[in-house]
Amino acid sequence: VVFEPDDVVVPGQPGELLLDLAGAAGIPLLSECGGQGTCGSCRVLVQRGRVSFADQAGREEEITAPREVLACQTAAAGDLVVRIPPEARLRPLHQRITGYLGPEARVYLQEPHQGMPLARRLALELAPPSFDDPTPDWERLAMGLRHACGAERNLTANLDVLREMPRLLRELDFKVSVTVLDEGWQDRLIALGKPDGDPLLGLALDIGTTNIKAELVDLGSGRVLGGASEFNAQARYGEDVISRIIWAQEHEWGADELQDALVTSVNTVIGELLKQTQAAQEQIVAVSCAGNATMISFRLRLPADAIRRAPHVAPVGLPPTVQAGMLGLDTHPAAGVYCLPAINGYVGGDISGGILATGMFAAEDLRALVDVGTNGEIVVGNRDWRMCCACSAGPAFEGMGIECGLPARPGAIESLRYESEHDCVDVRTIGEELPVGVCGNGLAETLATLLDAQVIDRAGNLVAEFPSPRMRQADGEMQFVLLWSDQNATGRDLVLRQSEIDNLIRAKAAVFAALVTLLEELGLSTGDIGHFYLAGAFGSHLDVRTAIKIGLLPDLPAERVTVAGNTALAGAYLTLLSSEARDEIQKLARATTYMDLSTSSRFMEEYIAAQMLPHTNLERFPSLAPDNAGPEWGNSLNR
Ligand code: FES
């Protein structure tokens, strides 16, 4: 079921009420009568799809034109698109995160499993000192804090807070608020102020090799206030982590330059978030950061050399919480920066975040998580065991190295259809703005639609004889015009070149080959996967059949696939808000085993075989055989 305008997709079973499905999608609805069907507060708009009505003895109906229904009395009976109006929402529209949160993960946003956010504020009313009670200020404050927390936790404080403390306590008549950072084994007092201050904010941050994405979160309510993304400025030092490590080694100030580039990009994202939300820099007191081990090492200015040499060891698996001011971040200088734990030098906190967010760490059946970024990272397993691997996919699906490519942001084409009979291209962009380029979803759909229209062949070669003015030779290679200059905001033709198609095919081939190799090592096959999560460069609008058609996904029934978006960011969000989630992610990172593919001849064979659309061996994609194509071919909910 697709929920609009949030663009969240949740898998559902026939008979599941829309009220429950919306809750599962992280969009709780008003239900003033408790789902009795009498208050009308849960009214939503079914745009299209098959529903059944609980209040009409389960009568089913195919809805073809938008229709208002009660979410508490209407259930899914097939694929559905549902629009949720603002008045039916329990919380405003912006309260959502980019990545999927499975039901096993959502418990960490609720009591009794939430525990503490990374930073919290407590109001204290202390008895002033007297001749009878001359307890020093710090001990007085610590005692009051322990009493307020109701727990015997170690407590420490930053020196600058201690320096301000005597004056502030007296100015505020010993009625103060304290901002405390959870450092795992102790609390750290990082700020002292008036009892009622502005809301405390946290940053959920995903530092990717190519893109940096962040969401600003109200630490009190968990509300997501805004989101932003930016290319990682380190890209000018190398496309992948290995070339950047080498660059850092070969230049005297290389590591410093790489760290500076990263901090600049992160601060650009923070600046954008502060502009969006009108919040103050000082309000950001906690940062939860997902990223691969190299990015985290560069971020902390740690030597990353050992990562590129076998056995690929990261300098730190779970770095201690450090102060943002020491890293040059534009937040409160004492904000705590927590990094999600790495599994291995090549499988970082972005993946442990994904294991946490999808809930695969608690599943009984076999789950697979494939995160397509500049590196492809794959985890298979369940609650008892997990095995992971990594491969170099290249940043093509993240928009890097593709002239018209860009991250998912307003103006990015996320859906593209080419119709050869009339030689026309139909696109849908994020935010319905004039197109400026194509993001991961759009690139996957472009490959699929060009294959359907026989603009490219199964090897991905542009067919020079294709009868369209869009097909042309330029700069020594074939290219196909996706949008003419007067159809987009860049003022020039948006084209896809042969070399760019080759990069996209190599990227999808690498992740597919890594998945199959990992499964085969375990004596399993793609058919054993109970549920599959596709994460990374793709958003929830990606049509599963499209992804299967180009061999990005194995041939699984659509109901066993969740296009999970940025699960690294979802993991960062969970760990920002929940100490129990932080405890869980440490355990699951330790209990996930890494398999090295770099010496696997099997991987190379699979990689070469996967460099066709969808694959050299079509028996691996039985549902794509013409007899089985059925009405689902090219039938996306999103078009
Ligand atoms: S919850 Fe009251 S009508 Fe649905």
Side-chain angles (χ1 to χ4, degrees), residues 321-457:
T321 306
V322 295
Q323 282 189 40
M326 294 172 68
L327 304 177
L329 298 188
D330 290 343
T331 60
H332 189 297
V337 180
Y338 166 87
C339 297
L340 277 63
I343 295 166
N344 166 276
Y346 282 148
V347 180
D350 45 349
I351 298 306
S352 48
I355 298 171
L356 179 74
T358 56
M360 70 180 288
F361 70 93
E364 286 181 37
D365 59 342
L366 183 72
R367 305 282 171 105
L369 166 66
V370 171
D371 192 317
V372 183
T374 309
N375 258 7
E377 286 145 319
I378 292 101
V379 192
V380 297
N382 56 27
R383 68 181 181 190
D384 298 321
W385 62 272
R386 287 171 302 279
M387 183 83 101
C388 65
C389 66
C391 63
S392 175
F397 280 109
E398 295 191 277
M400 185 68 85
I402 307 278
E403 190 186 288
C404 67
L406 78 175
R409 60 163 71 138
I413 294 171
E414 58 174 355
S415 179
L416 187 145
R417 295 300 300 272
Y418 173 63
E419 202 257 287
S420 55
E421 196 183 338
H422 301 100
D423 193 39
C424 71
V425 167
D426 186 21
V427 300
R428 190 190 59 224
T429 60
I430 297 174
E432 297 180 0
E433 294 187 10
L434 204 58
V436 289
V438 193
C439 66
N441 278 17
L443 290 166
E445 289 212 1
T446 300
L447 277 191
T449 194
L450 296 187
L451 181 67
D452 270 351
Q454 299 179 352
V455 174
I456 55 175
D457 61 20

Side-chain angles (χ1 to χ4, degrees), residues 465-481:
E465 304 76 34
F466 188 80
S468 164
R470 294 173 185 274
M471 185 71 76
R472 65 192 188 193
Q473 177 93 18
D475 305 324
E477 61 179 340
M478 296 303 298
Q479 58 177 228
F480 190 77
V481 179

Side-chain angles (χ1 to χ4, degrees), residues 19 30-42 70-72:
L19 188 68
L30 285 170
S31 63
E32 287 167 6
C33 69
Q36 297 300 307
T38 54
C39 69
S41 64
C42 65
L70 294 178
C72 68

Side-chain angles (χ1 to χ4, degrees), residues 263-612:
V263 169
T264 302
S265 301
V266 173
N267 282 342
T268 303
V269 170
I270 294 174
E272 167 62 28
L273 287 169
L274 294 177
K275 202 166 93 188
Q276 273 178 29
T277 58
Q278 301 293 304
Q281 184 174 324
E282 295 275 319
Q283 283 179 260
I284 305 177
V285 291
V287 181
S288 182
C289 179
N292 63 54
T294 306
M295 287 304 111
I296 297 300
S297 300
F298 284 145
R299 168 80 186 277
L300 301 177
R301 184 60 184 86
L302 301 172
D305 318 3
I307 294 175
R308 88 178 170 96
R309 298 198 179 86
H312 313 297
V313 175
V316 191
L318 176 64
T321 306
V322 295
Q323 282 189 40
M326 294 172 68
L327 304 177
L329 298 188
D330 290 343
T331 60
H332 189 297
V337 180
Y338 166 87
C339 297
L340 277 63
I343 295 166
N344 166 276
Y346 282 148
V347 180
D350 45 349
I351 298 306
S352 48
I355 298 171
L356 179 74
T358 56
M360 70 180 288
F361 70 93
E364 286 181 37
D365 59 342
L366 183 72
R367 305 282 171 105
L369 166 66
V370 171
D371 192 317
V372 183
T374 309
N375 258 7
E377 286 145 319
I378 292 101
V379 192
V380 297
N382 56 27
R383 68 181 181 190
D384 298 321
W385 62 272
R386 287 171 302 279
M387 183 83 101
C388 65
C389 66
C391 63
S392 175
F397 280 109
E398 295 191 277
M400 185 68 85
I402 307 278
E403 190 186 288
C404 67
L406 78 175
R409 60 163 71 138
I413 294 171
E414 58 174 355
S415 179
L416 187 145
R417 295 300 300 272
Y418 173 63
E419 202 257 287
S420 55
E421 196 183 338
H422 301 100
D423 193 39
C424 71
V425 167
D426 186 21
V427 300
R428 190 190 59 224
T429 60
I430 297 174
E432 297 180 0
E433 294 187 10
L434 204 58
V436 289
V438 193
C439 66
N441 278 17
L443 290 166
E445 289 212 1
T446 300
L447 277 191
T449 194
L450 296 187
L451 181 67
D452 270 351
Q454 299 179 352
V455 174
I456 55 175
D457 61 20
R458 282 191 57 225
N461 294 317
L462 282 164
V463 177
E465 304 76 34
F466 188 80
S468 164
R470 294 173 185 274
M471 185 71 76
R472 65 192 188 193
Q473 177 93 18
D475 305 324
E477 61 179 340
M478 296 303 298
Q479 58 177 228
F480 190 77
V481 179
L482 301 178
L483 286 179
W484 300 106
S485 58
D486 58 355
Q487 295 175 318
N488 70 79
T490 68
R492 54 189 162 73
D493 296 342
L494 288 186
V495 303
L496 194 60
R497 302 171 198 283
Q498 182 62 62
S499 54
E500 296 170 341
I501 293 172
D502 296 344
N503 285 342
L504 291 167
I505 290 178
R506 276 196 289 269
K508 74 94 192 172
V511 290
F512 187 88
L515 171 70
V516 171
T517 307
L518 182 60
L519 286 168
E520 284 182 1
E521 286 289 331
L522 295 162
L524 297 166
S525 71
T526 53
D528 294 315
I529 297 170
H531 203 88
F532 187 100
Y533 305 97
L534 178 65
F538 305 102
S540 56
H541 266 300
L542 181 68
D543 178 41
V544 170
R545 295 296 303 173
T546 298
I548 292 171
K549 200 184 286 186
I550 62 168
L552 178 64
L553 289 182
D555 196 359
L556 292 170
E559 63 272 16
R560 277 160 59 187
V561 178
T562 297
V563 182
N566 192 330
T567 54
L569 201 55
Y573 172 81
L574 282 174
T575 49
L576 188 62
L577 292 174
S578 164
S579 51
E580 290 207 13
R582 294 193 291 279
D583 291 343
E584 182 62 50
I585 200 170
Q586 276 191 62
K587 284 187 247 159
L588 68 84
R590 274 198 301 266
T592 303
T593 311
Y594 176 73
M595 190 181 96
D596 188 7
L597 291 184
S598 60
T599 53
S600 167
S601 57
R602 178 88 212 173
F603 170 71
M604 279 316 293
E605 287 165 22
E606 289 288 349
Y607 175 56
I608 291 162
Q611 290 189 31
M612 294 279 276

